[in-house]
Amino acid sequence: MRIKSYFSATVEAAVSKARQELGDDALLLNARPSPEEALHLGAYEVVFGIETPVVPPPAPPAARAERPAPPPPLPALPDPATDEADSLGGFLARQDISASLIQAIESSLDEDTVTEQQLARALSRRLNVNSSLDSPVAFVGPAGSGKTTLLMKVAIRESADQAVAVVCADSQRIAAAEQLRTLCSIAGLTFDYAGQPESLAAVVEAHQAAGRLVLIDMPGFGPSELGPARVWQAALAKISSLTPVLTLTATARTADLRLMVGHYRMFKPQRLAFTHLDETGVWGGVYSTAGETGWPVAWLTTGQSIPEDVEDASVRRIVDGLMGLAGKTRAAAAAAG
Ligand SMILES: Nc1nc2c(ncn2[C@@H]2O[C@H](COP(=O)(O)OP(=O)(O)OP(=O)(O)O)[C@@H](O)[C@H]2O)c(=O)[nH]1
Ligand SMILES: [Mg+2]
C-alpha cells in the first residue's frame, strides 16, 4: 500500500483532487485539519492509501507478438510538497507514533508491497488489552486526566453484575469527596472516604470482605508533588492484588505521555486507560504509550456522559483509530453535507 496526502481548503475539495488522480478504488485513511507545517498547502489534509498499483490497461495484443509485453513499472508520484506523507514512516509520524516504534514497524514490513492488512497486523502485534475487573482497582494519573469520571462510568456499568464500592482517596481537592458521594448516591453505589493514607488499606479490605469490587479514586499529583505521591503510593502498596490503572488523556502528545509514564511509574501501573478520545483523531499517543510500556489498555473514553461514554479497549479499535477510520467517518459525514 502506498500512502499519499492531499491538501485543500476543504475536505471535499481535497477528496475530489485525490479521486481525480487516484480513482475510486483508493482508500480514504484519514481527514483532518492540516498540521501547522503544511498549512500553506491548504487548511485540510486527507490521506489516501493505494492498495494496488494503477496500471494502464494492456494494449491489445499485436498480431505478431508472441509474448505480452511486461507491464510498465509503477510510475512514481513525485510531489515535493507531500513527500513526507508519501512514505509509510511519514504517515506513522503524522499519527505521532514514537520514532522507535516507527522504526520497528518499518523494519518489519516491505514498504513497496505492504497492504493495509499487513500494516494493521504489524500495528496490532504491539498492543495488549485487558478490562477485566476482579480485584481492587485504583485510578491514578495526572490531575484532570479524567480519573473520577472514568471510575464512575466503570462503577455504574459494573454494578449491573456485582456489588461495587467507590472509595475516595482524594483529600487534595476541596469537595472532591462530596462530589463523588453525591454521584454514588444518585447511582445507588456504596461510597466510602479514606482521606488519610494510613486508613486506605483497612477501608478497602472492609469492602472486599463484604464481597464488593472496590474502585479507588486517587488525587492527581503534579510533577512538584512527589512527596504526597510517594505517601499515597506506599498506602496503595499495602492493598493486596491491587490493579493500578494509569489514566491519561489521549490528546496529550506522545512525548508528554512518556513523561507522565515516567512520573507515575512509581505506582506500578498494571493497565492503561485513555480519556478524551472524542477530542482527537491522532491515536499515536495511545499506541506508543501502550506499545512502549507493554501495559494492557483497559478502557477508552469518548465524552463526559456518565456512564455512556466508555468502552472496553480493543486492539481493533486502536488500530482502526491509527489507520484513520474515525477520520473516514467524519469525512463521509462532511461530504454528505
Ligand atoms: N470530552 C471529554 N471530557 C472528559 C472525558 N473524560 C473526562 N472528561 C472531563 O474532564 C474533566 C476532568 O475529569 P475528572 O474526572 O474530574 O478528572 P480527574 O482526573 O478526576 O481530575 P482530578 O481529580 O482533579 O485529578 C471533567 O470536566 C470531565 O467531564 C472524555 O473522555 N471526553
Ligand atoms: Mg478526580
Side-chain angles (χ1 to χ4, degrees):
M1 182 178 64
R2 287 180 302 119
I3 289 162
K4 186 167 164 73
S5 278
Y6 292 83
F7 296 87
S8 200
T10 64
V11 169
E12 293 89 333
V15 169
S16 124
K17 206 158 130 189
R19 291 275 177 230
Q20 264 173 23
E21 192 175 314
L22 304 176
D24 288 338
D25 289 340
L27 191 67
L28 177 53
L29 294 176
N30 203 354
R32 59 180 179 176
S34 296
E36 216 171 298
E37 69 276 11
L39 270 178
H40 63 288
L41 299 170
Y44 289 92
E45 175 189 13
V46 294
V47 183
F48 274 79
I50 311 141
E51 275 229 45
T52 45
V54 183
V55 177
R64 281 179 295 126
E66 286 170 9
R67 260 191 282 170
L74 176 66
L77 294 170
D79 186 347
T82 59
D83 221 15
E84 193 197 1
D86 273 348
S87 71
L88 177 61
F91 172 70
L92 297 173
R94 279 162 191 274
Q95 280 288 354
D96 198 20
I97 293 180
S98 71
S100 59
L101 284 175
I102 293 179
Q103 209 176 22
I105 293 161
E106 280 188 311
S107 66
S108 69
L109 296 168
D110 177 349
E111 182 170 351
D112 293 332
T113 59
V114 65
T115 63
E116 195 186 337
Q117 285 82 357
Q118 284 168 338
L119 175 57
R121 261 203 304 278
L123 291 167
S124 305
R125 241 172 260 137
R126 289 167 179 83
L127 289 173
N128 295 304
V129 295
N130 184 352
S131 43
S132 64
L133 279 166
D134 38 31
S135 61
V137 177
F139 292 82
V140 300
S145 66
K147 301 176 293 297
T148 306
T149 311
L150 170 61
L151 177 149
M152 280 307 297
K153 290 170 180 173
V154 171
I156 292 174
R157 228 183 43 169
E158 192 60 21
S159 64
D161 294 327
Q162 60 175 318
V164 175
V166 172
V167 172
C168 177
D170 187 346
S171 55
Q172 309 269 113
R173 261 192 325 124
I174 298 165
E178 281 324 300
Q179 183 203 12
L180 204 48
R181 187 193 300 277
T182 308
L183 282 170
C184 285
S185 109
I186 294 167
L189 298 173
T190 303
F191 172 84
D192 214 334
Y193 179 59
Q196 299 302 318
E198 309 80 55
S199 65
L200 182 61
V203 170
V204 171
E205 271 157 30
H207 287 291
Q208 273 191 292
R212 298 183 185 116
L213 170 73
V214 183
L215 304 180
I216 307 165
D217 187 38
M218 298 297 295
F221 302 101
S224 61
E225 296 169 310
L226 280 182
R230 283 206 188 91
V231 171
W232 279 103
Q233 188 281 321
L236 287 174
K238 293 196 180 116
I239 300 168
S240 60
S241 326
L242 179 78
T243 304
V245 177
L246 178 54
T247 307
L248 297 167
T249 38
T251 48
R253 290 176 305 180
T254 295
D256 293 331
L257 290 171
R258 192 179 296 126
L259 285 178
M260 290 302 155
V261 165
H263 187 45
Y264 280 88
R265 208 175 264 283
M266 71 163 90
F267 286 93
K268 301 192 172 45
Q270 291 177 21
R271 311 253 184 95
L272 291 164
F274 292 95
T275 61
H276 290 258
L277 276 156
D278 51 312
E279 292 172 347
T280 181
V282 177
W283 285 67
V286 172
Y287 182 75
S288 306
T289 308
E292 286 179 357
T293 60
W295 299 331
V297 185
W299 299 288
L300 305 171
T301 80
T302 51
Q304 302 195 60
S305 294
I306 299 171
E308 292 84 8
D309 293 336
V310 64
E311 58 192 87
D312 290 350
S314 76
V315 170
R316 174 76 194 267
R317 173 84 158 104
I318 297 170
V319 171
D320 279 358
L322 281 169
M323 304 285 286
L325 296 192
K328 189 175 175 181
T329 312
R330 270 205 307 278

